[in-house]
Amino acid sequence: MKGTIHYCLEETIIKYHGEDAWTQVTKGAGLGEDFSYGTKIRDDIDEVQSIELFVLSANIIGIELSQLFDEFGEHWCVEYSPKVYGVFYRGMNSTKEAVTKLDRVHETVTNHIPNAYPPRFVYNWKADNVLELFYKSDRNLIDLFISLVKGLNKKFGDYTEIEKKSEHIVLLTFHQEVPEYLIENQLQAQKA
Ligand code: HEM
């Protein structure tokens, strides 16, 4: 997988858990104490090492993998990718617009890189704001995908209901703000 993912993970760990946590991870991964992915953004990193780096990092820091995915998703969408790939966000104002562009973005970013095989997305619109999305990747990182959608919500300040149907399908319902019926459901749950 492209080193850009690893460098964003490095920044995420430093941002949420401090420099020492990153040093522990690099030592634990056998990368050496002062290791950084900063100069390896365009490199191809071994697939197993890539996915294992997330798992190993969560273990070393002592958090659930899902928390690390959420932190990564937020950092990627709010800070890292707007800084590194700002052009893709030009004129974009919502999670819905960003998700709609995802397939093209991944194809464009990686189409000149011989060994990249980015995730692909197939869109099946059920209504104007309801999308059944097929995540096509052998890496089986749909949970990371979901965390990235949450990151887009943070970036655009809107709200998307995310329903995981399987390891390859999610149902997304886009809202610009939290819908009334969800607030009411929450109030009912608190009363019960
Ligand atoms: C400007 C925005 C973005 C750019 C430039 C970008 C680029 C990339 C690149 C280069 C990779 C590595 C692919 C490879 O090595 O073959 C990747 C992986 C991935 N991206 Fe993005 N991405 C962006 C936004 C997003 C967003 C918003 C989501 C989800 C909502 C997303 C979902 C994923 C997932 C799940 C992977 C992991 C690889 C896999 O599942 O196969 N990306 N992206």
Side-chain angles (χ1 to χ4, degrees):
M1 188 138 63
K2 294 290 120 211
T4 191
I5 302 292
H6 305 70
Y7 187 48
C8 181
L9 179 62
E10 173 179 336
E11 282 196 1
T12 302
I13 290 172
I14 292 170
K15 177 173 166 182
Y16 289 96
H17 305 284
E19 293 274 355
D20 283 355
W22 177 246
T23 306
Q24 294 303 320
V25 169
T26 56
K27 278 205 241 162
L31 297 166
E33 210 166 304
D34 295 323
F35 184 85
S36 169
Y37 283 104
T39 55
K40 301 180 190 305
I41 290 184
R42 281 177 195 82
D43 290 9
D44 235 331
I45 317 273
D46 174 82
E47 286 295 325
V48 177
Q49 273 180 32
S50 304
I51 295 164
E52 274 185 359
L53 189 63
F54 277 91
V55 178
L56 182 93
S57 300
N59 280 341
I60 289 177
I61 300 166
I63 56 172
E64 294 292 331
L65 183 59
S66 58
Q67 184 185 333
L68 187 60
F69 279 171
D70 282 352
E71 292 168 354
F72 176 92
E74 180 165 339
H75 185 60
W76 177 272
C77 293
V78 172
E79 240 175 277
Y80 184 85
S81 66
K83 180 175 69 188
V84 180
Y85 309 100
V87 65
F88 291 108
Y89 291 97
R90 215 172 275 164
M92 201 185 270
N93 293 307
S94 67
T95 302
K96 182 183 170 186
E97 283 173 359
V99 168
T100 308
K101 266 196 168 183
L102 270 190
D103 191 58
R104 214 164 350 120
V105 168
H106 285 89
E107 206 195 357
T108 311
V109 172
T110 53
N111 69 2
H112 52 282
I113 305 172
N115 292 322
Y117 57 103
R120 300 300 304 262
F121 303 95
V122 177
Y123 301 87
N124 180 20
W125 289 94
K126 300 278 189 189
D128 186 46
N129 68 331
V130 183
L131 172 66
E132 182 182 49
L133 187 138
F134 292 81
Y135 158 78
K136 293 174 73 179
S137 168
D138 294 341
R139 296 186 183 107
N140 290 322
L141 290 172
I142 198 159
D143 293 331
L144 179 62
F145 169 81
I146 288 171
S147 294
L148 283 154
V149 176
K150 292 186 201 166
L152 288 175
N153 278 337
K154 281 265 161 59
K155 172 167 173 57
F156 293 109
D158 53 19
Y159 186 87
T160 305
E161 285 175 75
I162 307 165
E163 198 183 327
K164 180 174 166 182
K165 295 281 197 189
S166 73
E167 292 307 315
H168 288 277
I169 301 177
V170 281
L171 191 69
L172 301 175
T173 307
F174 301 104
H175 305 282
Q176 301 266 232
E177 53 194 42
V178 185
E180 283 286 319
Y181 67 84
L182 280 179
I183 299 174
E184 266 163 37
N185 285 356
Q186 267 173 9
L187 289 174
Q188 293 298 336
Q190 278 166 11
K191 276 189 207 154

